[in-house]
Amino acid sequence: EKALKTTFDLVITDLKMPGMSGFEMLKSIKKEKPDTLFMIITGHGNLSSAVEALEAEVYHFITKPYDMDKVETIVAQALEKKSILQKNKELMIELKEAKARLEEKVLERTEQLRNQLSINMNLIELTKKQNQELFQKNVMLEEKQQKLEEAYQNLQETKFFLEHVVDHYPFAIILTNENGII
C-alpha cells in the first residue's frame, strides 16, 4: 500500500512474505509505477524463481546467504542506474520538446518558402506576359521601321527622279497647288 502511494527508486523484497508473495507485490507496484527498480533477496531462490525474476525485469536477484558489502554495492549501482534512467527520461522530454519546436520552425519556414515561391511564380508569370507584350510591340515597331525605310527609299528615288527630270528637261516647269496657285 505504501509503495503505491509513494514513489520509491528501489524496492528490496523477499519472495516469501505473509499475505502476498514478492512477485505479486512486484507486479502490483510495476503496474502503477513502472519505473520502480526491484531487488529480490531470498532464501527460497531456485532456477524457476530466478527466471521469473529475469522475466519481471528485476534489477538483481540475490540468494541467501549473502555478503552485505556486495548488497550495498548492488544497491548503489541500482540507485545510480535509477538516476541515469531519470536523467535519460528528462533528456528525452527535452529532446521531444526541442523536436516539436524544430518541427514548428520547419513548418513556419516551409510556409514562408511556399509564400515566396508563390510570389516568385507570380512575378515569373507577370514577366512572361510583359516579355510577350514587349516582343509583340518590338515586332510592330520593326514592321513600322521597315515601312518607314521603304517609304524613305521611295521618297529618295522620287526626289532623285524629279531632280534629274527637272535638271535635264528642256522646257520650263511650273508647279501649282490644287487651287492653281504657283
Side-chain angles (χ1 to χ4, degrees), residues 118-133:
S118 176
I119 290 169
N120 289 346
M121 293 302 288
N122 290 340
L123 287 174
I124 288 170
E125 194 60 36
L126 181 62
T127 303
K128 262 187 192 177
K129 287 179 183 178
Q130 288 174 340
N131 283 342
Q132 288 173 347
E133 289 172 6

Side-chain angles (χ1 to χ4, degrees), residues 41-52:
I41 299 176
T42 185
H44 304 284
N46 57 37
L47 183 59
S48 172
S49 58
V51 169
E52 189 175 353

Side-chain angles (χ1 to χ4, degrees), residues 116-176:
Q116 187 63 46
L117 180 60
S118 176
I119 290 169
N120 289 346
M121 293 302 288
N122 290 340
L123 287 174
I124 288 170
E125 194 60 36
L126 181 62
T127 303
K128 262 187 192 177
K129 287 179 183 178
Q130 288 174 340
N131 283 342
Q132 288 173 347
E133 289 172 6
L134 288 173
F135 180 76
Q136 290 172 349
K137 287 179 181 179
N138 191 35
V139 167
M140 288 179 2
L141 286 173
E142 285 177 354
E143 289 172 358
K144 285 181 181 181
Q145 182 179 356
Q146 185 177 357
K147 287 178 183 178
L148 282 172
E149 287 174 359
E150 288 173 4
Y152 181 74
Q153 182 67 31
N154 288 338
L155 185 61
Q156 288 291 61
E157 289 173 3
T158 303
K159 179 182 172 196
F160 176 77
F161 175 74
L162 287 175
E163 286 175 352
H164 187 67
V165 167
V166 170
D167 287 345
H168 295 88
Y169 198 69
F171 304 100
I173 300 175
I174 298 173
L175 297 174
T176 64

Side-chain angles (χ1 to χ4, degrees), residues 6 9-10 30 36 52-53 55 57-58 69-70 75 84 91 99 102 104 107 112 133 154 169:
T6 307
D9 294 328
L10 175 66
K30 279 264 188 195
T36 305
E52 189 175 353
E55 289 172 350
E57 298 177 3
V58 170
D69 290 335
K70 183 178 177 184
V75 167
I84 291 170
L91 290 172
K99 180 183 174 191
L102 181 61
E104 185 177 317
L107 289 174
Q112 289 173 348
E133 289 172 6
N154 288 338
Y169 198 69

